[in-house]
Amino acid sequence: MKFLQTFIFTISMFTLFSCQESGPKDYAIHKDQCDNCRMTITEIQYATQLVTEKGRVYKFDDISCMTMFENSETDKVVNSKKYVVDFPSKKNIELAKATLIKGGNIKSPMGGNTQAYENKEMAKKAAAKFGASLVK
């Protein structure tokens, strides 16, 4: 009887954890390290994440670090999803849905000097304010 209870419990836990949503995870600011340069992530507005097909999450302190990681770890990033932080709201959004601005007076941790915006109009206003260019 004990074996049956243990077996049912194990199957239940496996089912529960296998159904969890794979996506971006919360940041532990001043604790998480960038998976590319190993610097501590200190500014959430510039942080990014890459979630692999198998659900492994890689965190970065700057979009440029995520790009360098993608270029050097091509086998790990196949069919991955990329997330950036919406600069005004500080929430994760898919990179494909973001509008990026770059340059001007923007200063990010690793010199990528890029900000992400969920709202394209806000991105245009921020680009004008910072003297930056719309990237996409």
Side-chain angles (χ1 to χ4, degrees):
M1 188 66 161
K2 182 92 171 149
F3 173 76
L4 183 59
Q5 288 176 332
T6 303
F7 180 74
I8 291 172
F9 177 77
T10 303
I11 294 299
S12 299
M13 294 309 290
F14 177 75
T15 303
L16 175 69
F17 287 113
S18 67
C19 293
Q20 284 188 343
E21 187 178 322
S22 67
K25 305 296 181 210
D26 290 337
Y27 295 96
I29 298 301
H30 299 289
K31 292 184 181 169
D32 283 341
Q33 285 188 328
C34 175
D35 283 304
N36 183 63
C37 70
R38 300 292 179 221
M39 279 183 53
T40 302
I41 297 173
T42 59
E43 297 181 58
I44 194 166
Q45 298 95 324
Y46 296 103
T48 64
Q49 290 186 43
L50 187 144
V51 181
T52 67
E53 195 171 34
K54 293 181 179 179
R56 168 78 160 89
V57 176
Y58 293 96
K59 296 179 182 181
F60 307 96
D61 61 345
D62 189 315
I63 196 165
S64 64
C65 275
M66 182 168 66
T67 302
M68 284 187 268
F69 184 84
E70 286 179 283
N71 292 335
S72 65
E73 302 288 343
T74 54
D75 57 322
K76 292 181 181 177
V77 301
V78 175
N79 298 323
S80 61
K81 286 191 176 183
K82 298 169 204 107
Y83 297 89
V84 291
V85 174
D86 176 48
F87 197 81
S89 71
K90 300 178 185 171
K91 71 176 189 175
N92 284 307
I93 57 174
E94 285 188 53
L95 176 60
K97 296 178 182 176
T99 301
L100 304 177
I101 65 172
K102 182 176 182 150
N105 296 324
I106 298 172
K107 301 291 181 222
S108 64
M110 291 301 292
N113 304 331
T114 304
Q115 293 177 351
Y117 290 82
E118 186 171 36
N119 180 296
K120 190 168 191 161
E121 289 307 310
M122 287 181 83
K124 287 179 181 179
K125 287 178 185 176
K129 176 184 170 187
F130 290 113
S133 304
L134 251 68
V135 178
K136 77 167 200 101

